[in-house]
Amino acid sequence: MKEIILAYQGEMTLKGLNRSKFEARLAKSIRYRLEDLGKFKVTQAQSTVFIEPLEDDLDMDEAFRRISKIFGIVKMSRAACCSKDFDEICATAEAYLGETLRGIRTFKVEAKRADKTFPMKSPELCRELGAYLLGKHNYLLTLVKSQSARTQSAYIYCSAGYGESSTDLVFGGNGLIVESGRMLRRTERFSTEEQLIVADIDTEKLLNSRRRTTTFAPHRPAERIIVEIPLPENPANVTLDREFSSHPFVPQTPEEMDESGREIINIQTMGLAQRLQHTDCKKVVIGVSGGLDSTLALLIAVRTFDRLGLDRKGIIGVTMPGFGTSNRTYRNSIALMRCLGITSREISIRKACEQHFADIGLNPEEQSSAYENAQARERTQILMDIANMEHGMVLGTGDLSELALGWATYNGDQMSMYGLNASLPKTLIQVLLRWMAQVCQDDAIREILLDVVATPISPELLPSSEEGGIAQHTEKLVGPYELHDFFLYHFIQNGYSPAKILFAAEKAFDGRYDRATILRWMRVFFQRFFSQQFKRSAMPDGPKVGIISLSPRGDWRMPSDATASLWLREIDLLIQEK
């Protein structure tokens, strides 16, 4: 939306033959006053001066103040530009006025139809635009939600309802309880019965959000109105009137999933497209394992190449079977690359790793962490060297959940040239791939995606079974990802303490995980989250897709030697409680 300033002339409009000289002098004065603010275009028509900014982020407030001091201007106003279409006029007025309409009881719309070819006359335009702005219930909801989100507060809204005079107006009886932009409760509109709505407001979450939001400016104490609310003596015994989603990163309805799914893949696609164009890179290299993360990264790479008009053969997918590669993941990786029509390569890491073990004196029978990490680093070396040969870019596949837990080999799968999945948690990737399978038009690709989602999560670094099955199960080693993603969300986004995370988890996972299980994996989460920060401090670039990012250059600036003592001590006390 482009904003301009309108300045109205006074007695100057009554001038005769020398009027143009006065107008030229006025325009010159305006340009002189705005010269050091940036570039503005000054034009005149029908006794009105139009001041249009030619650069972004110019200080329009200061420009308005300076112009108001110029002799010859009797009235000024700020305006937004739009085309001569009624729907666009309504949308622009709604967006431009924004919170100005909130809380006012009435207003007036004035319009002058300068273009006589416009289909609506001035009175009709005033009437229809006013009705649109005043009677839009969804707009009211938007205003309340946006005000709550902007001020990081709980907003309680109540309006007149049945029983009020209906001489000229009918009142809907809106009752809304909104917390930080989220609707908690709302009444039924146009009800003839009395209504009462109740909701639990998370004040700790709001306070933590205000601490984190640097643009929020709290009111001075003198401006506050304090209302005392009695609290129950033992809040723990009061039934919680609030729900916690067990998968807070995942959209809750099919409609939300459709919208979020498209938004996610568009952000990833545009991020990769920008990076490829900036580096003048026509090829990418991806390690395709047949797992969740590499599958998503490959699909995004294909979509990006299609959008940029690049040949899919420029996508080099490399599957690198090792000691723990299962038949299932191997078949899926080969089949997916073939269906997508990319360049497919298969390079076994067995011989290279065996030689490396011999060189450094590692006994492969011990199957230590060095045994596992050597394989991850060998795979990364292969990808980097191929990218070097092909003048390409290595795409990282690691996700947000793995970054939080440090479940990655330093300078192995932790490293790449662009990390596509860095802000997507594992629980969301699972749902996202299932959604992509549902909307996919290719039956073969759909079957592969669904099987990838159904495959147990594993790094496949320990020797597979004789039948070629998966020997390692990540969630048996570090805990269920749905728990870790729950911990991550409420720790980072809401600033919850371990005790409050436990309280929320017991509500969200009631009947699925008991208290002891939740605390066991919560301890693992906090211990790993703090001890593995050094891996995140060296993570590559990647697009921020959701509300949480652990990039050291963006949302999460944490020292690598930060200690988890306070959190672990609180968890230990919770474990000791009955």
Side-chain angles (χ1 to χ4, degrees), residues 285-290 293-295 316-320 383 394-395 397:
V285 182
I286 308 176
V288 183
S289 67
D293 298 341
S294 64
T295 297
I316 304 172
V318 188
T319 183
M320 295 165 281
L383 296 176
V394 176
L395 296 185
T397 62

Side-chain angles (χ1 to χ4, degrees), residues 41-190:
K41 180 181 178 182
V42 180
T43 56
Q44 299 184 55
Q46 298 182 345
S47 304
T48 304
V49 183
F50 299 82
I51 299 96
E52 177 183 355
L54 299 180
E55 299 174 349
D56 295 331
D57 300 323
L58 295 182
D59 190 345
M60 297 296 285
D61 291 332
E62 178 62 18
F64 189 93
R65 188 191 67 80
R66 293 187 184 186
I67 296 172
S68 66
K69 304 294 184 182
I70 297 176
F71 179 79
I73 294 177
V74 296
K75 187 172 64 173
M76 293 177 58
S77 66
R78 299 172 72 155
C81 300
C82 66
S83 64
K84 290 181 285 187
D85 175 81
F86 180 70
D87 290 338
E88 185 171 343
I89 292 173
C90 290
T92 304
E94 177 183 3
Y96 186 62
L97 294 175
E99 293 184 7
T100 305
L101 294 174
R102 182 179 60 83
I104 62 175
R105 303 179 66 177
T106 185
F107 58 89
K108 181 180 180 181
V109 175
E110 289 186 351
K112 292 183 180 180
R113 186 182 61 158
D115 184 357
K116 300 305 179 183
T117 63
F118 190 77
M120 300 174 68
K121 295 181 180 180
S122 297
E124 184 182 5
L125 180 59
C126 295
R127 182 179 68 249
E128 296 300 324
L129 180 56
Y132 175 88
L133 295 175
L134 187 62
K136 192 172 182 183
H137 175 64
N138 289 335
Y139 184 45
L140 168 66
L141 299 182
T142 301
L143 287 175
V144 174
K145 288 181 179 180
S146 63
Q147 175 70 0
S148 171
R150 187 181 67 84
T151 59
Q152 301 295 322
S153 65
Y155 194 115
I156 301 174
Y157 177 90
C158 182
S159 67
Y162 181 75
E164 297 293 336
S165 171
S166 60
T167 301
D168 289 313
L169 300 172
V170 175
F171 298 92
N174 280 303
L176 311 171
I177 302 178
V178 183
E179 178 191 277
S180 193
R182 175 191 171 199
M183 183 70 67
L184 298 182
R185 292 287 188 278
R186 57 191 294 185
T187 59
E188 177 187 351
R189 298 177 67 214
F190 304 108

Side-chain angles (χ1 to χ4, degrees), residues 433-500:
L433 282 180
R434 190 178 297 115
W435 173 80
M436 295 177 78
Q438 292 173 354
V439 300
C440 181
Q441 302 298 317
D442 189 300
D443 293 339
I445 295 178
R446 183 187 305 112
E447 291 182 8
I448 295 171
L449 295 183
L450 292 175
D451 193 56
V452 168
V453 173
T455 302
I457 301 170
S458 171
E460 296 191 331
L461 296 173
L462 294 181
S464 56
S465 63
E466 294 181 0
E467 296 80 17
I470 296 174
Q472 278 178 300
H473 293 269
T474 301
E475 294 183 291
K476 292 182 180 179
L477 298 172
V478 294
Y481 273 116
E482 62 180 352
L483 278 180
H484 288 307
D485 286 352
F486 187 88
F487 301 153
L488 175 66
Y489 178 88
H490 289 291
F491 174 55
I492 301 296
Q493 181 65 17
N494 295 335
Y496 285 179
S497 64
K500 192 162 185 178

Side-chain angles (χ1 to χ4, degrees), residues 364-383:
E365 298 299 325
E366 295 179 359
Q367 297 179 3
S368 62
S369 60
Y371 172 87
E372 296 185 34
N373 291 336
Q375 297 175 62
R377 293 192 180 100
E378 177 61 28
R379 288 187 170 112
T380 300
Q381 177 178 265
I382 291 172
L383 296 176

